Amino acid sequence: MLYPNSSTRGNRLSWDRVDVDALDCVAVNIAVLLESVGVHDIRTPFAAEWHFSFEPQRTEAQLLLGRSPLQDLVARYTRFTIRENHLSDDDGLSADLARLADEGPTLLFGNAYHMPWLPYANNQHMEHSVILTAVDDQSADIVDAYSIRTEWGEARPTATSVPADCLVESISSLNSARRKIAWSIQKGSERLGQSVDRVLYANVENILQELDAKHAMRTFATYYADNAKNPDILGRFALDCWLITRARQIHARWLADLAQKSSGLTSATVAEAFENAVVRPWRTASEFAYIAFRRAKDGRSPPDTSFKLIVNQIEPAEIDMAKLISKELPKQSFVTNFGVA
């Protein structure tokens, strides 16, 4: 049985300052944990890198929407780090969960198929993260700030209680590299990461190299267009477009943050241009990608709207934005670092 919003034990966590509409299922819950330990800037770690490339050993169009792993981003832009804990086999798993919950909120990885607060429950096997705040033999208190609309319904940020056995089954049945892994936030270095201008330069360099020189977005769209009759592959395309849209959306907010802080590195005009030229077309492409997936799944011919948008409008727009930002960047090196207030 699921008890919506009934969590009473453990730490009460908040997602009020978290970009729940723009983060994936792991980043969104890491942001909640960072907020709980007092990190003021919980946007930068997930928003600063504007990136598009492929996995080096890819067999298909497998995306990389960031240059750095999430653990590195947290360490670079906050005074905290992610500690990785390895959970025991099934016999000791419950004891491990109780120990970690006693130490503080802990992020777990499990199979969404066995997570009853999600629309994926009993519908789709996939990796998902959840924050454990308290557990006993009968029930577990969890927080999950993830937000998404699916063909089975909508996932919304929630704090609830679930049967403890359900959580154990979810963890044990996960088939991914993060099976039996738990993450917790701990104090890290007092010395903070990277200057703002260097991050912006790295963003520009990546977009110009991958999109302008290699036409990676064209490769991405072409791969899926060539497999448009396969609903499983189009399902992955719809998910990828959704993830890209969210990544671009939170980056636009970050650019607006920089302009508001009068950093001299970007202007409100750049942030607005990024929203209009990049984010909005990606939203449209994502909507049509989902329509294509649904039609293919129903045995109908999918529209090619999203593929054409990516090739003819979005890739050129991202290249133009990189060139615009490059022109605005100062010649001297800034030393202003990201950090917590």
Side-chain angles (χ1 to χ4, degrees):
M1 181 181 295
L2 183 65
Y3 307 97
N5 299 317
S6 63
S7 181
T8 58
R9 301 169 299 176
N11 293 334
R12 284 194 171 272
L13 306 181
S14 171
W15 51 79
D16 291 346
R17 295 198 303 115
V18 176
D19 293 288
V20 297
D21 62 334
L23 293 175
D24 66 32
C25 69
V26 177
V28 72
N29 286 326
I30 289 295
V32 170
L33 291 179
L34 291 175
E35 198 278 338
S36 74
V37 294
V39 174
H40 176 72
D41 181 1
I42 54 173
R43 175 172 291 161
T44 291
F46 315 102
E49 292 189 354
W50 172 30
H51 187 86
F52 190 97
S53 65
F54 299 113
E55 293 279 2
Q57 305 299 325
R58 75 185 191 278
T59 56
E60 55 185 23
Q62 296 173 343
L63 287 182
L64 285 173
L65 294 179
R67 295 182 294 280
S68 310
L70 186 56
Q71 298 97 312
D72 293 348
L73 293 171
V74 169
R76 187 177 305 151
Y77 299 126
T78 76
R79 293 194 178 104
F80 293 86
T81 60
I82 295 175
R83 183 182 72 187
E84 184 167 290
N85 305 281
H86 293 267
L87 302 175
S88 304
D89 292 333
D90 293 347
D91 291 341
L93 181 55
S94 295
D96 280 352
L97 295 181
R99 173 180 55 81
L100 290 171
D102 286 343
E103 294 175 359
T106 301
L107 185 136
L108 306 172
F109 296 96
N111 184 351
Y113 188 87
H114 298 290
M115 294 180 172
W117 64 93
L118 293 173
Y120 301 114
N122 300 314
N123 288 311
Q124 184 173 353
H125 296 274
M126 61 183 294
E127 181 184 278
H128 189 76
S129 84
V130 60
I131 301 172
L132 175 69
T133 62
V135 66
D136 58 30
D137 292 340
Q138 300 300 317
S139 65
D141 289 357
I142 61 94
V143 172
D144 186 358
Y146 192 45
S147 174
I148 188 176
R149 291 182 179 178
T150 77
E151 58 186 300
W152 306 288
E154 187 173 358
R156 296 178 180 177
T158 187
T160 190
S161 296
V162 298
D165 290 345
C166 172
L167 191 62
V168 169
E169 184 177 16
S170 174
I171 295 168
S172 300
S173 65
L174 178 63
N175 182 21
S176 81
R178 291 191 281 209
R179 182 176 182 268
K180 299 291 183 69
I181 294 295
W183 284 355
S184 56
I185 302 296
Q186 65 180 13
K187 193 73 172 180
S189 172
E190 290 295 323
R191 201 166 56 114
L192 295 179
Q194 204 165 0
S195 60
V196 183
D197 59 322
R198 289 182 181 178
V199 176
L200 290 167
Y201 274 119
N203 291 343
V204 167
E205 288 176 358
N206 170 262
I207 295 301
L208 293 180
Q209 178 182 1
E210 296 296 329
L211 305 191
D212 197 17
K214 298 181 181 179
H215 292 290
M217 276 189 184
R218 185 181 305 173
T219 300
F220 166 76
T222 300
Y223 168 80
Y224 283 113
D226 291 344
N227 292 276
K229 294 182 179 180
N230 186 323
D232 291 335
I233 293 180
L234 274 191
R236 179 68 221 184
F237 176 62
L239 178 59
D240 282 346
C241 288
W242 178 82
L243 289 169
I244 296 167
T245 302
R246 286 198 163 194
R248 272 41 182 169
Q249 180 175 306
I250 196 171
H251 187 70
R253 293 174 186 173
W254 181 77
L255 290 173
D257 289 344
L258 289 184
Q260 190 175 24
K261 293 173 183 176
S262 301
S263 64
L265 293 169
T266 63
S267 65
T269 302
V270 168
E272 184 178 354
F274 194 95
E275 174 71 29
N276 292 330
V278 174
V279 179
R280 289 183 181 178
W282 267 118
R283 286 198 189 105
T284 302
S286 182
E287 290 168 1
F288 276 102
Y290 184 73
I291 292 171
F293 160 64
R294 293 295 300 170
R295 288 191 179 177
K297 192 173 182 179
D298 293 341
R300 294 181 291 162
S301 179
D304 61 359
T305 309
S306 52
F307 309 126
K308 290 182 176 179
L309 264 175
I310 293 169
V311 172
N312 298 329
Q313 181 176 343
I314 296 176
E315 185 179 70
E318 293 216 5
I319 293 168
D320 289 344
M321 280 304 310
K323 292 177 179 178
L324 175 61
I325 292 174
S326 179
K327 289 180 181 178
E328 286 218 347
L329 287 173
K331 300 304 179 184
Q332 75 272 23
S333 177
F334 275 60
V335 295
T336 303
N337 283 343
F338 301 108
V340 292

